[in-house]
Amino acid sequence: MIAFVNGTVAALAPDSAVVEVGGVGMAVQCTPGTLSALRLGQQAKLATSLVVREDSLTLYGFADDDERQTFELLQTASGVGPRLAQAMLAVHSPDALRRAVATADEKALTAVPGIGKKGAQKLLLELKDRLGAPLGGTPLVGAPVTAGWRDQLHAALIGLGYATREADEAVAAVTPQAEQSESPEVGALLKAALQTLNRAR
């Protein structure tokens, strides 16, 4: 199977990227946090997981092997498909998910769109012995960023092809949301910023 793709970023969208590998454009579904680190025309290496369905082949891309492995482990829980697993990684880093499961933190799981209280309780039971203990390091993707979130968010929006003015307006629009948290997550803010831009268009 395709374990990773390494090539030039040919296109970026709110939920995916196209990486050119040997003259072939590989469409890769990614979380906002992973996309925020990619730049059009620059080299990128993404760990990948290929999800095979009767009617489709979908490639999911990740910043590193830990994220990909967590994505695959999450899907061993009943009711968790690739889209929900990716949504979980869009909200939480792998280590934050390990910590949530290790500490039976229902609230952290219900923060993910599509997971209710009962679903969170079920996931905590099923994933308890699968995800392992938190590593304790500071993960890059989905990590809380207290300083410089504006610059990171602005750079991510420019990287996705938005004009400077649009990026400025989107950053301003999500500033109240960011200031509600002591440690705003760039991935979550990027998602909110893209929603405001889509509404404006």
Side-chain angles (χ1 to χ4, degrees), residues 43-147:
Q43 284 287 114
K45 183 177 181 180
L46 296 172
T48 55
S49 179
L50 182 65
V51 175
V52 180
R53 294 280 185 267
E54 278 183 25
D55 57 348
S56 65
L57 292 171
T58 310
L59 201 58
Y60 289 84
F62 309 94
D64 55 35
D65 289 331
D66 183 31
E67 205 176 64
R68 180 198 43 209
Q69 196 175 0
T70 304
F71 172 79
E72 290 172 350
L73 284 170
L74 289 171
Q75 290 176 77
T76 63
S78 57
V80 179
R83 286 197 179 279
L84 185 56
Q86 193 180 42
M88 290 169 80
L89 285 165
V91 175
H92 298 295
S93 67
D95 225 36
L97 283 171
R98 284 191 282 266
R99 201 171 299 112
V101 171
T103 59
D105 186 352
E106 265 180 47
K107 199 176 171 189
L109 292 187
T110 55
V112 178
I115 299 180
K117 190 176 167 65
K118 280 188 177 176
Q121 290 170 343
K122 195 170 150 202
L123 284 171
L124 288 172
L125 279 173
E126 288 196 38
L127 294 170
K128 195 175 175 186
D129 302 317
R130 300 183 196 178
L131 286 188
L135 303 177
T138 306
L140 292 172
V141 176
V145 180
T146 46

Side-chain angles (χ1 to χ4, degrees), residues 17-50:
V18 176
V19 181
E20 188 181 330
V21 183
V24 177
M26 309 284 271
V28 189
Q29 299 289 313
C30 303
T31 63
T34 300
L35 288 169
S36 70
L38 303 179
R39 297 289 175 270
L40 275 173
Q42 292 189 9
Q43 284 287 114
K45 183 177 181 180
L46 296 172
T48 55
S49 179
L50 182 65

